[in-house]
Amino acid sequence: MAPSLVVAAALVDDLDDPQLLLAGRRATPASLAGRWEFPGGKVDAGESPEEALHREIREELGVRVVLGREIVGPESGAWRLSERYEMRLWLAEVSSGIPEPLVEHDELRWLPAGQWLGVPWLDADVRIVTALLDVLAGGGPLAAAL
């Protein structure tokens, strides 16, 4: 059985010069509670991944975003999260509103540059944060480098 597709956003303060990265702390299920992740969710039937991401961010955080470039994963362009799920991830910047933990999360935190690995991320997300840091270490804006 093929894994289900989920989408997420690496929300940064500025797509051209990212200094802050938004992380959400899971409230449920109990097995994931207290761990941090990129906000997002499942793609519904009939939705494009980008449409699903916009919907999920509105539902979870109450904001609208501008999508930057997709952060292409190593598994056919996706990031394998488990046997059941694979994720596509985009850089994004808030265009309207202030993020609030409305669904799934009990806390949001803007992590400053140099502290992006400073929270206990979900295991599957650690390598994505590390990939973001590797791109930044290479110089140039994150949005243009990916």
Side-chain angles (χ1 to χ4, degrees):
M1 181 176 184
S4 297
L5 180 62
V6 296
V7 291
L11 273 167
V12 294
D13 58 325
D14 184 337
L15 286 170
D16 293 323
D17 184 24
Q19 298 298 311
L20 301 172
L21 174 67
L22 186 74
R25 187 173 66 187
R26 294 285 312 205
T28 60
S31 63
L32 301 179
R35 303 287 299 275
W36 296 77
E37 69 176 358
F38 296 103
K42 295 177 185 164
V43 177
D44 289 340
E47 280 184 314
S48 72
E50 294 88 348
E51 289 168 339
L53 184 54
H54 282 286
R55 176 186 50 76
E56 286 286 343
I57 296 300
R58 282 192 312 273
E59 291 174 0
E60 286 192 10
L61 306 178
V63 298
R64 295 191 183 280
V65 296
V66 172
L67 296 183
R69 298 183 64 145
E70 183 174 2
I71 301 167
V72 178
E75 293 95 14
S76 299
W79 298 90
R80 191 65 175 257
L81 302 179
S82 68
E83 291 297 316
R84 294 180 56 204
Y85 297 105
E86 66 181 11
M87 181 170 72
R88 289 180 58 192
L89 183 85
W90 280 263
L91 286 163
E93 181 180 333
V94 174
S95 62
S96 175
I98 297 172
E100 296 181 51
L102 302 175
V103 179
E104 305 291 337
H105 305 107
D106 62 2
E107 182 180 340
L108 300 176
R109 189 176 298 172
W110 285 103
L111 304 172
Q115 296 179 26
W116 287 9
L117 288 169
V119 296
W121 289 92
L122 293 174
D123 293 341
D125 287 353
V126 170
R127 67 187 177 137
I128 303 170
V129 177
T130 301
L132 291 170
L133 292 169
D134 288 347
V135 170
L136 280 177
L142 188 59
L146 293 170

